[in-house]
Amino acid sequence: MAKNDLVSGSIWDEYSNIVTDRMNNPQHQGEIKEEEAEALNAELIVADFGAESCGDAVRLYWAVEKNTDKIVASKFKSFGCGTAIASSDIMTELCLGKTVDEAVKITNIDVEKAMRDRPDVPAVPPQKMHCSVMAYDVIKKAAGQYKGVDMESFETEFIVCECARVTLDTLKEVIKINKLSTLEQVTDYTKAGAFCKSCIKEGGHEIKDIYLMDILDDTLKEMEQDKLKEAADTTESGANDFAKMTIVQRIKAVDAVIESDIRPMLIMDGGDMEVVDIKENMPHYDLYIRYLGACSTCSTGSTGTLYAIESVLKQKVDENMRVLPI
């Protein structure tokens, strides 16, 4: 069934058009026979990999040119869901024309991104993200067979979740790309921690060097630091612009920063705020605000919260901003 024939708002809306097309019309499905590889002066490699987490499996066929190590033909067979077929098809396509050393650098993130219709929109719903991990692993299996080494020898990244074979770099990138904020979201998107659960936090049946809760916390801090740096760079490049604005423009500039960077922080704690007035009191611009909700009775409203609001406005609007609650 075509995606356009499905009811709008269903789970199918979470799949890209590329994924649904490759589910129904894979371009590289099939097998390569020994005689076909020989005709290409190539060595035939057949690698199998199965995902214990979902029962899906994929078989990858490579014809590797003997004098160049280049993959001159590539096919696959998939034993699993439609997403596994689509991701295996894209994975197979990404291998074509590459040397074995180049192909082994293809990651599950590369596979998932190649299935997107738009660069900023994930290609599949979170519970299907693990299918691209399986496609990534079978490449290493094939490369290991060709070179006569174990597939783990190609593992240059730190594996956090052994069950789903999810790396530290993959986790951090998925958190940032999709703006994840909870462990449940991380598990949904990557399948990390979905099975034995040892990698979620300390206390499981297997001791880990690092846990998902630590990775999420550290990555969220990195994202916040990136936002602050971007804000600082923006403020520096637009220095003195605030001084040239009309009062209406100044209020709009302040409101925009409050809406994007301050209000969400306050709402999380049941509070809010509103701008009452902006007055020049050189060298300062005094911003008069009124706390709303929980903020109006919170003892930190005049200390920690006020400092945080003022810091953001100084970084994003003007370094001479001063915030005064009334």
Side-chain angles (χ1 to χ4, degrees):
M1 184 180 293
K3 182 179 180 181
N4 293 337
D5 296 333
L6 298 166
V7 177
S8 177
S10 72
I11 186 66
W12 287 91
D13 290 335
E14 297 186 54
Y15 291 87
S16 71
N17 290 319
I18 293 174
V19 170
T20 53
D21 179 60
R22 295 298 181 106
M23 283 181 181
N24 298 318
N25 304 293
Q27 298 177 18
H28 305 284
Q29 195 168 35
E31 61 182 274
I32 302 172
K33 297 185 180 298
E34 189 70 52
E35 54 269 26
E36 293 173 325
E38 289 177 1
L40 294 169
N41 188 35
E43 180 181 343
L44 178 63
I45 299 295
V46 182
D48 294 325
F49 190 86
E52 295 180 8
S53 59
C54 62
D56 290 350
V58 62
R59 174 170 292 169
L60 177 62
Y61 296 84
W62 277 353
V64 184
E65 195 171 46
K66 295 177 181 178
N67 58 336
T68 64
D69 288 345
K70 184 176 289 187
I71 301 162
V72 293
S74 186
K75 296 282 186 181
F76 80 95
K77 285 185 177 180
S78 181
F79 310 94
C81 66
T83 309
I85 292 173
S87 59
S88 296
D89 197 44
I90 290 291
M91 172 271 297
T92 305
E93 186 171 289
L94 293 175
C95 291
L96 279 169
K98 290 182 171 64
T99 65
V100 172
D101 286 338
E102 290 170 339
V104 82
K105 294 177 183 177
I106 296 170
T107 69
N108 57 310
I109 294 295
D110 295 325
V111 174
E112 192 275 331
K113 284 183 176 179
M115 296 192 294
R116 295 184 179 190
D117 294 331
R118 290 172 45 192
D120 58 336
V121 179
V124 295
Q127 62 268 31
K128 288 297 182 181
M129 186 74 177
H130 68 286
C131 290
S132 61
V133 178
M134 183 175 68
Y136 157 67
D137 278 327
V138 78
I139 291 176
K140 293 188 295 181
K141 186 74 175 289
Q145 286 183 210
Y146 181 73
K147 290 180 170 288
V149 299
D150 192 85
M151 64 179 286
E152 276 71 29
S153 66
F154 297 109
E155 198 66 70
T156 58
E157 298 183 74
F158 182 77
I159 296 289
V160 176
C161 178
E162 293 290 346
C163 299
R165 302 291 295 171
V166 186
T167 68
L168 176 60
D169 287 347
T170 293
L171 284 163
K172 294 178 70 172
E173 188 162 359
V174 169
I175 291 169
K176 289 181 178 181
I177 288 174
N178 297 283
K179 298 180 174 61
L180 309 184
S181 59
T182 67
L183 286 171
E184 290 78 10
Q185 290 173 331
V186 174
T187 297
D188 282 344
Y189 271 72
T190 66
K191 292 301 178 184
F195 308 103
C196 79
K197 305 187 185 305
S198 291
C199 61
I200 294 179
K201 60 182 179 180
E202 193 172 359
H205 73 271
E206 189 176 320
I207 298 174
K208 298 288 184 178
D209 293 326
I210 188 169
Y211 295 91
L212 292 182
M213 63 182 300
D214 303 317
I215 295 167
L216 177 61
D217 185 51
D218 291 344
T219 305
L220 289 175
K221 288 177 181 176
E222 286 181 21
M223 291 166 67
E224 186 60 32
Q225 288 299 316
D226 289 343
K227 282 178 64 177
L228 292 175
K229 184 178 184 301
E230 181 181 351
D233 292 342
T234 301
T235 301
E236 184 177 346
S237 64
N240 301 320
D241 284 351
F242 194 72
K244 300 174 185 178
M245 292 181 184
T246 65
I247 183 62
V248 174
Q249 290 172 328
R250 288 175 181 176
I251 290 175
K252 285 185 176 180
V254 169
D255 278 342
V257 173
I258 290 172
E259 191 64 34
S260 63
D261 296 274
I262 297 173
R263 181 160 284 118
M265 172 183 67
L266 300 178
I267 290 175
M268 284 177 62
D269 293 324
D272 205 345
M273 61 167 282
E274 64 178 353
V275 174
V276 177
D277 198 3
I278 299 177
K279 293 182 179 180
E280 287 190 14
N281 186 16
M282 303 310 291
H284 300 292
Y285 296 102
D286 288 342
L287 176 69
Y288 293 88
I289 67 168
R290 180 180 292 115
Y291 287 124
L292 303 174
C295 291
S296 62
T297 57
C298 180
S299 61
T300 63
S302 59
T303 54
T305 303
L306 181 64
Y307 175 78
I309 294 171
E310 192 170 86
S311 296
V312 172
L313 291 170
K314 282 183 176 181
Q315 291 168 344
K316 289 208 166 187
V317 179
D318 189 279
E319 62 181 10
N320 295 309
M321 293 293 300
R322 187 164 60 178
V323 181
L324 303 171
I326 59 173

